[in-house]
Structures are given as structure tokens and as C-alpha cells.
Amino acid sequence: MRIPFLLLALLLLGTFAPPSLQRREPPPRISWVRYTPVALEDEAPALKRVGRLLFLGGWTLTSNDPRLGGISALHVEARDALALSDAGWRIRLPLPGGPDVVRAAIAMVAQGPGAPDEKENRDVESLVAAGGSIWLGYEQANAVWRYDGRHFTARSAAAPAAMSKWDDNHGPEAMARFADGRFLVFAEGEGGDSEALLFAGDPAVPGTGSIRLRYRPPRGYRVTDAALLPDGRLALLNRRVTLFGGFSAKLTIARLPALVEGALIDGEEAASFEGPVTRDNFEGLSVTREGGRTILWIASDDNYNPLQRTLLMKFALIE
């Protein structure tokens, strides 16, 4: 991080672009995104590995559209990405690998908890996509909504009672879905053990039963996203921000314990993004398969702050 002290001062003062700027009307007639390559480490451009991750590419995303940014959840499928911002913008764009400048489709999540013109009503922090449906976790409302994946029409919504006491700014920060339809939803927590809920089915359906679990992030870190690996293990993205170090992140991988009431999910560190390694406020994680390899995509939330960057990083997991 090049200006960590000033950056953190701005973060603490809350000097982000106001919602009126994030929703500036009218938007550009055509929204574009430019992919500018970045190295894993600026001073060591040949570096291709961090922990158990093989670096396959990294890009800074810039746009003519001020709505691009604030990415807090990510889903990659085939050659496209769907990103959700914590201001309620859904951003669809082709992955890098073609032209440096691509068209993007950016639109508000029209249906959600409360009026769409209030940022706190569209504070999306987690995302699951499966079977033509998309689930979004709303932090301020402690709610989960399910949408039709094609038109983004709301199909079901719930504010589970088990989430009702989660702090407004600390959950549901991460969400993952098992093949059998169960969901794991994580509160962001305070830097120590945080609460997770295992739902017996769709958390967007009122009354779906759940049990309470615990997640232990790396010391001083908070979970920001989670995704299942093909072998059933869980990849977890964790973030820390400090006064002089700025943002850092750790990726952990957990073999899930017997998922019974009170069980502890405790992962092993797979990669650490600190020091000179390229990093920012990493909040989005998506897992895909490519050429027999497990691919991890990581995106950052720039908080609509000009001193931060929207990064997209691509890695292969080294087993």
C-alpha cells in the first residue's frame, strides 16, 4: 500500500464518495471498463507465487462509470464475472484476456430491503449463484434475498431471527452453498471468533432452520468472503486494516468439521497478502475450474475512494 497512513485516515473519517455521487444520473450511455495489468509485486515483477497460490494475472479496473467500485461480492462463471457493490450496483463484465477495454452492464438491484436510493438498504456483502438463482446477503438488514439469475427479480426474502442480533456492520459478510442445498452464512465479527450459521435449506425462505457454528479467522483478521472448493473444503478470505500497514489479507482453507451445534471452523493459512505484495481491501472471492486446476479469483472493494483501487486477481491453487 503506497499511502497507508493517509488512506486509513480517510477511511476512519468516512470520506468516501457520497451515495449521490455513486448514483450519479444519468449514467454514461455506454459503460466501459479498462483492465490494466498489475504484477503480484511491483518491485519483483517475476514473482509468481504467494503461499500456495500461483499468480496467473492481476488487473486494476477503471471505468468511465462512477458506479463501478465498492465490490464486496463476486461470482465468476465461464468467461464472465458478476460483481455486487456495497451500494447495490450489480456489475456484469467479461473477464480479462481479450481487449483491454470492455463493455460493462451496470444496474441497481431494484428490489431489496427498503428503498433503493438509500445505500444502507443495498449494502450487499455476500453472493451465491447456483441453478439459475442468485442469493444476496445484506449487511445492514441482516437479510438474505433470492433472485432470478437472469432478470434479477426477487423470488424470496428473509431476515432470519438467528441473524437479528448481528451488528449492522458485521454480517452477513460471507456465504457458501453446499450441493445438497444447505447454506453457510458468516458474520464478519470483531477480529476474534465470529459466528456462522448453517441453514438446513434456503436462508431466503422465512423459517428455514439453522444451527450456530463458530469461525476462527487468523489473529486480528475478519472474514470477508467464502467459497467451496471442488473437493468440499472451504476457502475463506480474511482482511485486516492497520494504521501503518493499510490493508492486508489472508486466505485460509478449512476442512469442515462435523457440522453440529457449536462446531468450530478453523482453517490453515494458504496465502498472505502483506508487505510489498499487491493488495487492497480484498472482499470478493470466487472459485472456478480451468484446465484441471482450481482457480481462485479475488476482487477488492475500493470504497469509492480515489486512493484505493478496484483489483481483480487470478490464482491457481497449488496442492
Side-chain angles (χ1 to χ4, degrees):
M1 188 60 67
R2 290 167 292 180
I3 319 175
F5 183 85
L6 180 57
L7 168 61
L8 191 65
L10 290 174
L11 290 173
L12 294 175
L13 290 171
T15 54
F16 310 139
S20 59
L21 176 59
Q22 296 167 21
R23 293 177 167 82
R24 186 176 66 184
E25 296 294 346
R29 186 174 63 87
I30 297 176
S31 298
W32 54 258
V33 172
R34 181 184 301 277
Y35 288 114
T36 303
V38 296
L40 179 58
E41 185 178 322
D42 288 340
E43 301 302 320
L47 183 68
K48 295 298 180 183
R49 181 167 175 171
V50 54
R52 291 167 55 194
L53 297 182
L54 176 66
F55 180 65
L56 300 179
W59 301 267
T60 298
L61 279 61
T62 55
S63 177
N64 66 328
D65 193 325
R67 299 174 298 178
L68 180 92
I71 293 174
S72 56
L74 178 70
H75 176 70
V76 174
E77 188 169 351
R79 292 296 306 161
D80 296 306
L82 169 66
L84 269 293
S85 86
D86 56 12
W89 299 115
R90 49 187 174 94
I91 305 161
R92 293 186 185 272
L93 68 168
L95 293 172
D100 292 340
V101 178
V102 297
R103 291 183 65 168
I106 304 177
M108 173 58 59
V109 179
Q111 298 171 285
D117 57 349
E118 295 293 335
K119 182 177 183 294
E120 58 268 24
N121 293 337
R122 292 296 183 273
D123 189 355
V124 177
E125 294 292 338
S126 51
L127 158 69
V128 164
S133 295
I134 291 173
W135 289 261
L136 300 183
Y138 289 94
E139 184 171 66
Q140 302 290 332
N142 286 332
V144 179
W145 285 54
R146 186 180 77 248
Y147 298 84
D148 168 79
R150 184 174 181 181
H151 303 290
F152 244 88
T153 302
R155 298 303 187 195
S156 185
M163 291 185 191
S164 63
K165 295 185 179 180
W166 287 1
D167 186 273
D168 289 348
N169 292 314
H170 292 150
E173 187 72 20
M175 181 164 53
R177 180 182 183 272
F178 294 103
D180 62 8
R182 294 178 298 163
F183 279 72
L184 263 176
V185 182
F186 295 81
E188 181 178 353
E190 300 284 352
D193 286 5
S194 60
E195 190 169 84
L197 295 173
L198 176 65
F199 286 88
D202 187 346
V205 173
T208 299
S210 65
I211 60 174
R212 296 184 188 274
L213 311 176
R214 291 181 297 138
Y215 169 59
R216 180 163 295 163
R219 186 178 179 88
Y221 284 76
R222 302 178 182 183
V223 65
T224 58
D225 210 350
L228 283 172
L229 297 175
D231 63 4
R233 291 175 298 166
L234 188 66
L236 297 124
L237 188 62
N238 306 272
R239 175 200 53 211
R240 181 178 67 179
V241 59
T242 61
L243 188 60
F244 295 103
F247 290 106
S248 59
K250 289 184 183 292
L251 179 80
T252 60
I253 295 178
R255 292 189 181 277
L256 292 172
L259 296 178
V260 296
E261 184 79 29
L264 174 66
I265 299 172
D266 188 5
E268 295 182 355
E269 182 178 312
S272 181
F273 297 85
E274 53 188 352
V277 172
T278 296
R279 56 200 163 90
D280 209 292
N281 182 24
F282 287 148
E283 289 205 16
L285 174 67
S286 185
V287 172
T288 62
R289 292 284 289 174
E290 186 177 301
R293 297 188 294 183
T294 297
I295 304 298
L296 283 78
W297 297 84
I298 299 175
S300 69
D301 173 1
D302 70 349
N303 291 302
Y304 294 101
N305 186 319
L307 294 180
Q308 293 180 251
R309 293 179 290 177
T310 298
L311 293 170
L312 181 65
M313 313 284 281
K314 181 182 181 181
F315 300 93
L317 180 63
I318 300 170
E319 296 292 0

